[in-house]
Amino acid sequence: MILDPDTVCSLIYKIRRLHGKEVAGQDVLVSNSIDEEEPGHNRMDDALVEGQDTGNIAEIVGLLEGLESEQLQELTGVFLLGRDSETYENLEAAKAASMQITKPIIDLIQDDPASAEYLVSGLEQNNIHCDARTGAV
């Protein structure tokens, strides 16, 4: 990849914040009436917290503006591969298809609440995994 995986992982973290979903820490208490640790609460390590931070689109735009055109093409390829892995054989095929996409990647990210998960899936298909809490590889 010509695109730094840490950059994509950071972007994923920011997109999750933008769409109001980020991974909660261990100390977040989640209500669970079936298997309660304390009355009315259960600790969950990987619970998603909705609505705590709406994120900042300016951070995402700034990150994207710092990328070169080849890196943006690869990012769009990772997005496409993660969104529809049955259509694209690999990242190279998805990158080639990304040249036909007329919509800027920022619009794809803003318009689809699952965009972070598409990027996660696209990375994982290339054996790259992000730390869900920090956004680092």
Side-chain angles (χ1 to χ4, degrees), residues 36-98:
E36 296 179 350
E37 201 174 280
E38 300 173 21
H41 293 95
N42 185 24
R43 293 190 183 277
M44 295 182 66
D45 289 341
D46 294 325
L48 286 178
V49 176
E50 294 192 44
Q52 272 192 345
D53 185 350
T54 58
N56 185 346
I57 192 66
E59 291 178 24
I60 295 171
V61 169
L63 195 149
L64 294 175
E65 286 177 345
L67 300 178
E68 296 179 14
S69 62
E70 291 176 357
Q71 292 172 314
L72 285 170
Q73 180 185 1
E74 189 165 83
L75 179 65
T76 304
V78 170
F79 178 91
L80 293 175
L81 181 62
R83 184 176 70 181
D84 193 3
S85 61
E86 292 180 14
T87 300
Y88 308 105
E89 185 176 319
N90 54 35
L91 180 56
E92 290 305 314
K95 278 173 50 177
S98 74

Side-chain angles (χ1 to χ4, degrees), residues 7-60:
T7 300
V8 183
C9 292
S10 177
L11 183 61
I12 290 166
Y13 178 77
K14 291 173 188 313
I15 293 169
R16 284 179 172 158
R17 285 183 39 220
L18 172 71
H19 290 296
K21 295 181 181 177
E22 63 184 52
V23 177
Q26 281 187 311
D27 294 334
V28 172
L29 293 175
V30 179
S31 179
N32 181 347
S33 61
I34 296 172
D35 185 24
E36 296 179 350
E37 201 174 280
E38 300 173 21
H41 293 95
N42 185 24
R43 293 190 183 277
M44 295 182 66
D45 289 341
D46 294 325
L48 286 178
V49 176
E50 294 192 44
Q52 272 192 345
D53 185 350
T54 58
N56 185 346
I57 192 66
E59 291 178 24
I60 295 171

